Amino acid sequence: LIALLLLTSPSLAWDFTPTPVCTILNDTPELSIRVTFDPSQPQPYAITLTRPEPWPETETFGLRFDGPSALTIGTDRHRLSTDARSLTVTDTGFGNVLDGLAFNSTATALAGDTALPFDLTGARPAVEAFRACGVVPSA
């Protein structure tokens, strides 16, 4: 009976893992999104978006979040992987990214003429776990 229930229940699209670094992962055939926090790095927060097709070379990259806490954020500090299929942004803080993921229903990655929407259903629990990752309670 348990196996049958597991087969019929929807799987969560957004997953969180605390090791080896704090990671939120959402994989779909169209886009893989990985958000990491690695305190050993000078810019400990990173988001990497990987897709089957190469990302265009652009001066800016943005994320538009649509829903109750809609916002659009952008940067010129993104970089592409060698094959241009992965786009990564790093920073010292990711409050706007995490808020956008947690409190909205959809997001769209914006690079040049490319606009790639993705669903945020189920992201909030993963974001909450990510925010708490590595936090040591005071004695």
Side-chain angles (χ1 to χ4, degrees), residues 35-70:
V35 181
T36 57
F37 172 70
D38 183 351
S40 70
Q41 298 300 312
Q43 295 189 332
Y45 292 93
I47 184 168
T48 301
L49 297 97
T50 303
R51 63 188 217 135
E53 301 296 319
W55 288 98
E57 295 273 347
T58 63
E59 290 187 26
T60 61
F61 169 74
L63 285 172
R64 184 183 69 231
F65 297 99
D66 297 305
S69 297

Side-chain angles (χ1 to χ4, degrees), residues 64-131:
R64 184 183 69 231
F65 297 99
D66 297 305
S69 297
L71 75 142
T72 300
I73 55 178
T75 185
D76 61 359
R77 297 181 312 186
H78 61 290
R79 67 182 187 282
L80 296 176
S81 62
T82 307
D83 64 2
R85 290 180 44 239
S86 294
L87 183 149
T88 300
V89 178
T90 59
D91 207 336
T92 56
F94 257 26
N96 286 337
V97 172
L98 297 174
D99 287 348
L101 293 172
F103 303 121
N104 290 291
S105 54
T106 61
T108 303
L110 306 166
D113 292 338
T114 300
L116 190 58
F118 54 97
D119 186 16
L120 299 176
T121 302
R124 189 172 186 169
V127 171
E128 289 173 1
F130 184 87
R131 286 185 196 265

